[in-house]
Amino acid sequence: MADDQQRNFRSAYYEKVGFRGVEEKKSLEILLKDNPLDLEKLSTFSQRFPLPSMYRVHVWKVLLVDRPVCSSGILPPHSDSYNLVGKYRKEQYQDILEALKMMRFIKSSTPSTHVYLRMFQLESQVLPRCSEMSRPTDENEDFLSISQVMEEIAENPVDCYWLIKNFITQFHTKFGDSVPHLPKSLEHYLSQEEPGLLSHLKNTGALAQLPYNLWFRHCFAGCLPESSLQRVWDKVISGSCKILVFVALEILLSYKIILLGISQPEGVVKFLCNIPQENTDAIVTKAIDLWHKHCGTLLHAM
């Protein structure tokens, strides 16, 4: 207890003098020295605190798994295997890429996000016929939106592909059954935080037309800039899709006055699909506070 009080005092002091996150950064560095890494502790840390940018991709690689029975992510918990596994990941990436070129599914002018999509489809054994490739499905749109953001985060194409693939796979595996219920969850929390706005959205018919796919299937890719979105994805990757509800909730709360002045559902949707980008860091910070307020900091708070 004394240690916790001392740590809380230090954290409060560092934040007061402008060094927010110093203690958390040190704590994460200690966790990352473990061999093997403790995935539960890393997940708990990511749920409670924002990941420092210099460690974010590394932690994501460790936490992102591509199968429910798999206990290892893009990188294994044992640091002495990083180089070997990284070599295998690169070789596998090159093999898939060459196969698609040989089959003429991609060429030099193919956008990189579409290359990642075809690679994912080939690995998943759902590669379409060439004649069917012109009309993307909703799932393809989800993949492409997330891919565009991940390209801004990853340092190279190999890392980018594996991050996209495992993010998409883990999200669908863990949260596929929960995502359809997120709009109802949003309505519930909005009724607690701002019932007047909820009534307005219902009465205008806008509630049923809110951009739920953009928010919950795209995980806000294409809505929030990459710099803000990373902090949301920290929580998703470490075990919570409920954070998406609170980001949507905070967007509604932040623009309450504007939304109350719009009487047509089309106008509400148009605004919410193109929210101002200069205030998104504050929105994400408030959303995380709301998430902690309503859900606590339990690990894997769905």
Side-chain angles (χ1 to χ4, degrees):
M1 181 66 69
D3 288 344
D4 288 342
Q5 290 176 345
Q6 185 178 12
R7 182 188 178 284
N8 291 337
F9 172 79
R10 289 200 303 269
S11 296
Y13 172 75
Y14 280 127
E15 289 191 18
K16 185 176 180 180
V17 298
F19 292 97
R20 182 176 182 176
V22 169
E23 284 288 288
E24 285 71 25
K25 180 173 177 287
K26 289 181 179 178
S27 298
L28 178 60
E29 288 173 345
I30 292 172
L31 289 177
L32 292 175
K33 289 178 181 178
D34 289 343
N35 190 19
L37 295 173
D38 189 319
L39 302 187
E40 289 295 314
K41 287 183 179 179
L42 276 178
S43 295
T44 301
F45 182 95
S46 300
Q47 293 274 296
R48 295 185 62 189
F49 309 110
L51 291 171
S53 57
M54 64 187 298
Y55 297 121
R56 175 170 279 118
V57 169
H58 181 74
V59 173
W60 285 8
K61 284 182 181 180
V62 173
L63 294 181
L64 281 172
V65 300
D66 61 358
R67 296 184 303 278
V69 297
C70 183
S71 61
S72 179
I74 299 169
L75 287 177
H78 295 81
S79 59
D80 48 356
S81 300
Y82 287 169
N83 289 337
L84 181 61
V85 172
K87 178 174 176 288
Y88 288 155
R89 295 291 187 191
K90 185 174 182 179
E91 290 175 353
Q92 188 175 354
Y93 172 91
Q94 293 294 342
D95 288 344
I96 302 168
L97 194 64
E98 289 303 315
L100 287 169
K101 290 178 180 178
M102 291 289 291
M103 292 187 292
R104 299 183 180 178
F105 271 85
I106 60 173
K107 50 188 178 180
S108 59
S109 60
T110 303
S112 55
T113 52
H114 286 72
V115 172
Y116 300 139
L117 175 61
R118 300 307 171 207
M119 293 175 70
F120 180 75
Q121 290 173 332
L122 179 58
E123 280 205 284
S124 305
Q125 299 182 354
V126 293
L127 192 66
R129 298 176 181 176
C130 289
S131 60
E132 300 171 344
M133 288 174 53
S134 59
R135 302 183 65 181
T137 64
D138 289 342
E139 287 189 3
N140 291 350
E141 291 295 345
D142 300 342
F143 187 100
L144 293 172
S145 295
I146 291 170
S147 297
Q148 288 174 355
V149 175
M150 204 65 84
E151 276 198 311
E152 300 295 319
I153 299 172
E155 295 182 354
N156 57 71
V158 177
D159 281 352
C160 187
Y161 172 66
W162 290 111
L163 286 168
I164 297 165
K165 179 198 172 186
N166 284 34
F167 182 94
I168 295 283
T169 304
Q170 179 169 291
F171 186 80
H172 288 167
T173 301
K174 279 190 173 183
F175 310 126
D177 293 337
S178 301
V179 170
H181 303 289
L182 296 185
K184 267 297 179 186
S185 185
L186 173 61
E187 182 178 343
H188 168 72
Y189 291 113
L190 185 57
S191 70
Q192 294 186 356
E193 294 290 332
E194 193 57 60
L197 177 57
L198 176 60
S199 296
H200 173 75
L201 294 175
K202 283 184 175 180
N203 294 336
T204 59
L207 185 66
Q209 298 185 37
L210 296 181
Y212 295 122
N213 280 350
L214 176 65
W215 291 347
F216 303 145
R217 290 177 59 89
H218 292 192
C219 298
F220 289 94
C223 178
L224 300 177
E226 164 264 330
S227 56
S228 301
L229 191 56
Q230 291 182 75
R231 295 165 58 207
V232 178
W233 285 5
D234 285 346
K235 312 308 180 190
V236 175
I237 289 170
S238 59
S240 173
C241 70
K242 203 68 166 290
I243 184 61
L244 302 175
V245 170
F246 290 98
V247 175
L249 175 62
E250 185 54 44
I251 288 174
L252 295 176
L253 296 178
S254 295
Y255 297 108
K256 177 183 71 171
I257 295 176
I258 293 176
L259 295 174
L260 289 173
I262 303 175
S263 58
Q264 297 298 320
E266 296 82 4
V268 170
V269 173
K270 182 179 180 180
F271 175 79
L272 292 175
C273 287
N274 299 277
I275 63 170
Q277 300 291 284
E278 63 271 9
N279 194 38
T280 55
D281 281 344
I283 286 174
V284 169
T285 297
K286 293 177 182 177
I288 292 173
D289 289 342
L290 277 173
W291 176 60
H292 286 312
K293 169 187 170 182
H294 287 281
C295 300
T297 56
L298 293 176
L299 179 60
H300 306 316
M302 297 284 287

